Amino acid sequence: ECGIHKSCPFFNITDLEYSDAASSGGARNMIAQHDVEHPLRKAPRHRPLRVGLGTALPMQGESIHIMYDGIASSNFMELVQFCNLVSKNDPEFIDKKKPEQVNPIQEYLHHRSNCTVHNETHVELWVLDVIRARSQKEFRKNSFLQQLWFDGINAKWKLLLVEYSDRFFVNVFYNKILLHDNITDKSVQQNIQDKPHIRTATRMIIKGRQYNSTSKKLEIGRLEMPEQANTAGGPTKHAPYTVRTDHVNSLKRVLSDMLSDAKKKAGTALHDAFRGADDPAKHWDAMRYARDRPLDESCLPPPYSRVREEFDVAHFWPIINSGYGSYRNDVTRTVMKLHGQPRRDAPHITIRAKTSTSGPTGRTGRTTASLDYARACLSTKIIVTTGRDAWEDHYRLMEGLAAGAMVLSDVMLSLPKGLENGTSVVFFEDVQDLHQKIEYYLEHDEERQAIAKRGWEVSMGYHRSYHRMEELVFGCPLTLVNVPYEEMCPSGNSAYTIN
């Protein structure tokens, strides 16, 4: 019964030993009161699952922002051992800007790394970033990987093999490396399928996607899970990108600065009137004007209550020569054409569009947060996100949603759970459709703001890093489920708490 959008627990939360010292009623274990079927209702007391992580930090930003952060931030998992699979001889250790120096992040993680496989830490689950084992040669020379695999076969612990590359590599790793005759004995291979303690997860589940730059049409491809990597622990699970914690922290810092500036300009009466809103759903008009009625710094309003709107629309992608960015280039050209054009509903107002990047790009942008980028996101009404020509999903989708903007996205077959076209995000079919929808949603403020509000609630309530790791391990999110307002207002102000 397990499937891409069905609960499929690797560990049952009800199976964890109960402890009087740990209670799921804590602040980080909050779940919406209406979710009476949530597993936590059946497991009021628990202990965290002991997890080990083997990864290639920081080469893959996903290793930090999803796996490492997700395990460490969850109140249902405890990171008891960490192994950095990058050696000091690896080119990733060298800081490209200062070749004579090693990467400081790698140096720090190297000293924290413990790649000795033993049972002193009582690891129950090993999460492994498979991107580092691209060949049998790399696997065979890595004693840590070998021992994890063979001891896992003998059921000393469960193994979760996770891939966040742009290919179906988890399929290759499991089927062509781990189960190869040169690695694992045939008699052992026959027994592996009977052992329910190995599971695979991947981000990439789309095949056949391609963009025709002549006709300006995108072939969206087909949904295809790598069934060859299915195990007795369940079928391969979809692991889409999440809202990055460092991006959330940047958003809150910028939002706090914006509110501080607005507070200086706003009168005390307006400030007090805004604080009097006891329910965001009933007092939407008050929240729309957070720019004039800011809260005190101890309780930040959700980003969708716009503090400042400098841009009407933004697509953070400059036109560049890229083998996989032709569609993005055409989308950027479409957005650029709108800049300075009069709005249809108000010809005396011109559209303000942004297509340049804000903050660092490339690998640096994937591994670090930028205040400039957070400020640009918070200052934009509509954020356009576009996948690469050959694959779907990228950080921009969740980053735009978390910033409270309405997100216009190219069509996605692998849309993360809970998001819905027309309700929390809006799809565009091609560049002509994009042009029309930008104009439409600039003319319909309330409709746009309602979509932005729901998009923020879904992304922050279901797609944080800890939600993703809990979903892969326990079958569903467990920490702060559907209570995103708690993130912005930890003091419990009733104006930003879902009842």
Side-chain angles (χ1 to χ4, degrees), residues 61-74:
E62 295 86 346
S63 298
I64 299 175
H65 300 302
I66 301 177
M67 287 179 262
Y68 186 93
D69 182 70
I71 296 170
S73 300
S74 170

Side-chain angles (χ1 to χ4, degrees), residues 166-205:
D166 300 319
R167 303 291 185 270
F168 282 86
F169 188 67
V170 69
N171 179 10
V172 177
F173 178 77
Y174 180 76
N175 200 47
K176 296 185 179 180
I177 296 179
L178 296 182
L179 298 187
H180 196 278
D181 294 348
N182 293 337
I183 301 296
T184 307
D185 185 83
K186 284 188 176 181
S187 61
V188 178
Q189 293 180 28
Q190 295 175 356
N191 294 328
I192 289 175
Q193 294 300 322
D194 298 327
K195 297 181 182 297
H197 58 275
I198 300 170
R199 170 174 287 185
T200 57
T202 183
R203 175 179 73 90
M204 186 65 174
I205 61 173

Side-chain angles (χ1 to χ4, degrees), residues 317-338:
W317 178 263
I319 295 177
I320 61 175
N321 293 323
S322 170
Y324 297 102
S326 298
Y327 190 30
R328 286 182 173 178
N329 286 345
D330 284 343
V331 168
T332 289
R333 293 186 181 97
T334 300
V335 175
M336 289 175 62
K337 289 179 181 178
L338 285 169

Side-chain angles (χ1 to χ4, degrees), residues 180-360:
H180 196 278
D181 294 348
N182 293 337
I183 301 296
T184 307
D185 185 83
K186 284 188 176 181
S187 61
V188 178
Q189 293 180 28
Q190 295 175 356
N191 294 328
I192 289 175
Q193 294 300 322
D194 298 327
K195 297 181 182 297
H197 58 275
I198 300 170
R199 170 174 287 185
T200 57
T202 183
R203 175 179 73 90
M204 186 65 174
I205 61 173
I206 300 297
K207 282 191 174 182
R209 175 183 165 111
Q210 59 182 349
Y211 178 63
N212 188 321
S213 56
T214 302
S215 64
K216 308 297 183 185
K217 297 294 182 181
L218 175 71
E219 296 182 18
I220 60 176
R222 64 190 182 279
L223 195 66
E224 184 173 319
M225 295 293 286
E227 296 182 359
Q228 300 92 326
N230 290 346
T231 70
T236 300
K237 297 297 293 180
H238 182 214
Y241 278 143
T242 67
V243 177
R244 288 169 42 167
T245 298
D246 59 346
H247 181 60
V248 172
N249 292 337
S250 295
L251 290 172
K252 289 196 290 186
R253 179 176 171 182
V254 172
L255 186 59
S256 179
D257 291 342
M258 287 180 172
L259 288 173
S260 180
D261 293 341
K263 186 178 179 181
K264 296 176 182 178
K265 301 176 182 178
T268 303
L270 288 176
H271 175 62
D272 293 338
F274 184 67
R275 291 190 63 184
D278 59 354
D279 186 343
K282 296 178 181 178
H283 297 270
W284 182 242
D285 287 339
M287 296 179 67
R288 285 176 56 191
Y289 298 103
R291 166 176 45 194
D292 301 319
R293 302 177 179 180
L295 289 173
D296 61 80
E297 289 79 356
S298 65
C299 190
L300 299 175
Y304 58 75
S305 54
R306 313 311 299 173
V307 175
R308 183 181 67 193
E309 294 175 338
E310 183 177 349
F311 304 106
D312 293 308
V313 59
H315 183 240
F316 299 107
W317 178 263
I319 295 177
I320 61 175
N321 293 323
S322 170
Y324 297 102
S326 298
Y327 190 30
R328 286 182 173 178
N329 286 345
D330 284 343
V331 168
T332 289
R333 293 186 181 97
T334 300
V335 175
M336 289 175 62
K337 289 179 181 178
L338 285 169
H339 183 68
Q341 295 297 311
R343 286 178 47 167
R344 293 185 306 187
D345 60 327
H348 62 286
I349 301 176
T350 58
I351 297 175
R352 301 159 298 173
K354 177 179 173 61
T355 56
S356 60
T357 56
S358 295

Side-chain angles (χ1 to χ4, degrees), residues 29-60:
N29 295 341
M30 294 177 60
I31 54 179
Q33 295 298 315
H34 60 74
D35 196 353
V36 296
E37 298 298 326
H38 196 277
L40 285 187
R41 304 294 186 198
K42 304 175 183 179
R45 297 188 182 277
H46 66 89
R47 65 162 176 82
L49 182 72
R50 293 183 290 271
V51 181
L53 174 63
T55 185
L57 297 164
M59 186 197 76
Q60 290 291 312

